[in-house]
Every structure is written in structure tokens, then in C-alpha cells.
């Protein structure tokens, strides 16, 4: 996030003495990307953020992936997956590759403190409400929110009832597309959202506590570190690196007279993938427009689409419903189901109510056990009916 923010108490200059009311020094911590060469924030802790008293290995489960063989389009019904664990431990792995892992979680239980040290995470809240608590402060989140969490941010999730979420774990940083930004990082006029659409922590949490476990994910696996003092003991911070929220309803769709391709829906990008938001909008308005997608073969990407609301005219007859995931891999041509084009033209529809989150990856997606547990095995043959 290239936008400077200051929250709570910080000293007038960086790296100078900053004292607690009792005369002791606050502990300054830099959270910085790309080895001191990119966005960073400085956080001021009441206690040393380095003091750990225990390190334990934690067994990872549900993380096996298998190739999409025999190659075929897939339909997974997350609506059939039972609630499990919490928003960290309960993630059902749907698909992944070396760049990104995509999971689904349904739960009403709070998570333990968690730090993903492999990359940024983007958690899309499909339904329900939760409080996101972090070293930077708290955020109230709800339906339609993308919560973007920088690498290394210690945080936890506290649902206020049942919550369903799509979890996107990157191997690097998740950012707004470069083409939406000026050379200094301001959103440009043609971008489908702007700084005013983003929410970030407004005040520090300042939690005290001792012997606090934090689950840490690294390339090697999971570790539970016990911190002598609570990591949320931050009295203030400033900088350009912090968690933030963008709600899908604030995405301003781009429409054309004839069909516009998915890049107009792009919302974020990460290493080896993009995230797109398909939102309610006017349909293509050329008098002879074919107002739903043409058949397409993305030779360089796999398309993972999570259907979160609305009506899917282009998918009539496919079995796709709210909660469904379709995976259309490279090597397979996909498009509207038979009769869908004629039906939409005949209906005279002028708007679409579809709401979907798409992740296009530039390397093939392997399939996770969560997906295989809720697969609709007939989907691949629906275009031939
Ligand atoms: Fe597609």
C-alpha cells in the first residue's frame, strides 16, 4: 500500500529516543518489504518484539495437492463443505501452485494469533462479520470485504457469528495493479477504485499479556512461537505498509458496447496471479451485442472463479450456483453453456447481477483436498448436452 498513514503515538523523527511514561524506551520495529528497498512501517512496542520463550513444530494438515489430471474443467461446491476449525486452521485447500494457495473456510470460532511469513494474504469475506485484530490495530470486516494482510503481520480473526471466506495465500506481495497507479502510487482517474474506498486501522489496540502463542507459517511448515509479551502492545506506527480492506461493492465496473474481457475487472495482482471482481453492471449495449462472454482459451492461465452472489445467466444448465467454484484450466476452451447466448439475447436483459471473485494464475493450479471433497463430477460434460 503506497499511502502514508500514522496511527497512535510516534516520535517526531524516526530512530530517535521515544520514551514510555515510566521513562523506559519504547521498542522500535521496522516491518519492511524487499530488504529495506520498498514500502515499510515503523511500529513502537511497549516491550521487545524479539522476546520468545518457546518454539514448537506444528503438523500441517489438508495440504496435499494433486495435478488436474485427467485435464478437465472442474466445478466445486463449497456450499457443501461443513464448517471446520477457524479462519486459519479451518482452511480447506481448494487449489494451489508454487505462487498461490486458495482455500475456503467456514467457521464461527476465533483463530489463534497467526503470522504468514511466506507472503501476503487476501481474505475475501463471502458472508458474515468478523473483527480482524493485528499489530497495526483492528478492523471490523463483513460481506464483500477483501482484507489484504501484508507478509509477517501478526493477526487473528474473531467472528461475530458464522463466517465464510475465500483465503488467498500469496508467495509475495498483493498490490493494486500498477496500471491503476501514478509513478508515485496514487490511484489514477481510470482506476476502478481509489484511496477513499480503502479502510485501514485508525487506532492502536495496545494489548498487554504474557506468554502469547503465535502460529507462524514459513516455507518449511508451521511453527508455534511463544512471545514473552503480547505482540499487539503497539502504541503507534506510521508508514505505507499495513493491512487494509476494500469492499467489492466499491469496485466501479468498466463497461463497453461489446464484451469487455476480464482484465477490466482486475482488482489486485500478486506474483503469478491476478484477482478480479465481477460486479453487477449494465450489459454490453451495442444494438447487436452478444452480452455474455465468447468462448475463450487462455493459453497462459488457469481461471478459478468463486461465485458469491447474483444470477449467472451465462452458466444456466451448468449447475453453478452461489458458493460454487469453477476451474477452467489452460488446455481447455470454455464459454457459455449451450443455449445461453440465445436465451440472454431473447430476454432483452440490460443488466447483470453477477458477483464473483476470480483468480487467474499464470501457472497451472493443482487440486486440493477441499476441492476434491465437494466436486460436481458431471460439470465437464455440460457443454456437450
Ligand atoms: Fe473464462
Amino acid at each position: 500500500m503506497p499511502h502514508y498513514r500514522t496511527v497512535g503515538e510516534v516520535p517526531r523523527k524516526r530512530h530517535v529516543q521515544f520514551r514510555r511514561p515510566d521513562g523506559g524506551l519504547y521498542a522500535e520495529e521496522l516491518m519492511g518489504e524487499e530488504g529495506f528497498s520498498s514500502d515499510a512501517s515503523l511500529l513502537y512496542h511497549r516491550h521487545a518484539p524479539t522476546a520468545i520463550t518457546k518454539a514448537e513444530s506444528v503438523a500441517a494438515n489438508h495440504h496435499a495437492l494433486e495435478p488436474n489430471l485427467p485435464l478437465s474443467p472442474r466445478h466445486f461446491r463449497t456450499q457443501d463443505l461443513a464448517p471446520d476449525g477457524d479462519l486459519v486452521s479451518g482452511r480447506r485447500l481448494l487449489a494451489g501452485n508454487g505462487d498461490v494457495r486458495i482455500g475456503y473456510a467456514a467457521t464461527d470460532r476465533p483463530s489463534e494469533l497467526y503470522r504468514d511469513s511466506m507472503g501476503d494474504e487476501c481474505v475475501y469475506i463471502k458472508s458474515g462479520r468478523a473483527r480482524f485484530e493485528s499489530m497495526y490495530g483492528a478492523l471490523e470486516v463483513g460481506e464483500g470485504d477483501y482484507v489484504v494482510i501484508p507478509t509477517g503481520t501478526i493477526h487473528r480473526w474473531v467472528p461475530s457469528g458464522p463466517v465464510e471466506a475465500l483465503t488467498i495465500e500469496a508467495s509475495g506481495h498483493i498490490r493494486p495493479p500498477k496500471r491503476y497507479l501514478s509513478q508515485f502510487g496514487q490511484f489514477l482517474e481510470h482506476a476502478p477504485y481509489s484511496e477513499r474506498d480503502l479502510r485501514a486501522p485508525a487506532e492502536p489496540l495496545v494489548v498487554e499479556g504474557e506468554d502469547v502463542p503465535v502460529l507462524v507459517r514459513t516455507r518449511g511448515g508451521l511453527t508455534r512461537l511463544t512471545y514473552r509479551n503480547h505482540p499487539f502492545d503497539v502504541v503507534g506506527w506510521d508508514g505505507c505498509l499495513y493491512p487494509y480492506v476494500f469492499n467489492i461493492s466499491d469496485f466501479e465496473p468498466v463497461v463497453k458496447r461489446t464484451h469487455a474481457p476480464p482484465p477490466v475487472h482486475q482488482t489486485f495482482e500478486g506474483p503469478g496471479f491476478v484477482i478480479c471482481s465481477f460486479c453487477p453492471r449494465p450489459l454490453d449495449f451495442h444494438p447487436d451485442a452478444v452480452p455474455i462472454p465468447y468462448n475463450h482459451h487462455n493459453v497462459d492461465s488457469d481461471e478459478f472463479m468463486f461465485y458469491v452472489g447474483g444470477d449467472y445467466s451465462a452458466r444456466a444448465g451448468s449447475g453453478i450456483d452461489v458458493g460454487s467454484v469453477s476451474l477452467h484450466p489452460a488446455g481447455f476452451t470454455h464459454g457459455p453453456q449451450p443455449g445461453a447466448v440465445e436465451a440472454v439475447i431473447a430476454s432483452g436483459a440490460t443488466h447483470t447481477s453477477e458477483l464473483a471473485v476470480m483468480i487467474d494464475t499464470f501457472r497451472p493450479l493443482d487440486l486440493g483436498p477441499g476441492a476434491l471433497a465437494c466436486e460436481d463430477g458431471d460439470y465437464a460434460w455440460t457443454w456437450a448436452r
Side-chain angles (χ1 to χ4, degrees), residues 296 298 303 328 334:
H296 49 287
N298 301 328
E303 273 186 31
H328 297 144
H334 66 279

Side-chain angles (χ1 to χ4, degrees), residues 58 78 93 95 109 116 252 271 343 346 368:
V58 177
T78 65
L93 186 59
R109 289 166 41 184
D116 186 339
E252 300 303 330

Side-chain angles (χ1 to χ4, degrees), residues 262 278 293-294 296-298 303 305 315 326 328 334-335 358 360:
F278 288 75
Y294 34 81
H296 49 287
H297 189 135
N298 301 328
E303 273 186 31
M305 180 84 93
R315 312 313 316 281
S326 64
H328 297 144
H334 66 279
M358 185 174 80
D360 270 14

Side-chain angles (χ1 to χ4, degrees), residues 82-284:
D84 187 19
D86 57 56
L87 274 175
V88 176
S89 71
R91 294 177 184 181
R92 308 290 298 270
L93 186 59
L94 299 173
N97 59 26
D99 298 319
V100 63
R101 301 190 328 162
I102 308 164
Y104 169 82
T107 183
D108 59 3
R109 289 166 41 184
S111 75
E112 67 179 307
L113 270 64
Y114 169 59
R115 160 178 268 175
D116 186 339
S117 292
M118 287 186 58
D120 293 359
E121 293 195 355
C122 177
V123 174
Y124 178 82
I125 307 294
K126 175 176 175 284
S127 65
R129 299 200 61 81
R131 179 174 164 89
F132 168 86
E133 297 181 347
S134 78
M135 310 148 62
Y136 297 88
L139 285 161
E140 301 296 331
V141 303
E143 186 172 318
D145 278 339
Y146 289 102
V147 187
V148 180
I149 308 161
T151 310
T153 299
I154 299 177
H155 64 280
R156 73 170 185 147
W157 295 94
V158 186
S160 53
V163 171
E164 289 178 278
L166 189 75
T167 60
I168 303 163
E169 301 166 0
S171 57
H173 301 305
I174 297 172
R175 292 167 171 152
K178 281 192 183 68
R179 69 178 189 278
Y180 293 170
L181 305 173
S182 75
Q183 62 174 316
F184 299 113
Q186 183 177 9
F187 281 95
L188 295 169
E189 279 295 314
H190 71 261
Y193 59 99
S194 77
E195 291 83 354
R196 295 188 196 178
D197 297 315
L198 307 179
R199 290 152 32 216
E203 56 188 28
L205 271 175
V206 200
V207 177
E208 287 285 353
E210 293 184 350
D211 299 322
V212 180
V214 177
L215 186 68
V216 180
R217 192 162 84 86
T218 61
R219 205 163 295 277
L222 292 172
T223 300
R224 186 170 287 111
L225 296 178
T226 299
Y227 280 79
R228 183 185 298 280
N229 297 105
H230 203 297
F232 297 170
D233 66 340
V234 173
V235 297
W237 60 269
D238 76 336
C240 294
L241 185 66
Y242 47 85
Y244 65 93
V245 174
F246 171 67
N247 192 278
I248 197 168
S249 66
D250 284 321
F251 188 92
E252 300 303 330
V254 176
V255 295
K256 291 174 56 188
R257 291 210 307 161
T258 57
H259 194 72
V264 301
H265 307 292
Q266 192 181 345
T267 311
F268 301 109
E269 63 188 12
F273 70 95
V274 297
I275 301 172
C276 299
S277 304
F278 288 75
C279 297
R281 61 193 182 279
L283 285 171
D284 319 325

Side-chain angles (χ1 to χ4, degrees), residues 291-293 311-318 335-341 344 352 354 383:
I292 57 175
D311 169 52
Y312 297 97
S313 304
R315 312 313 316 281
S318 67
Q337 253 61 35
V341 172
V344 172
T352 173
E354 71 176 7
W383 287 272

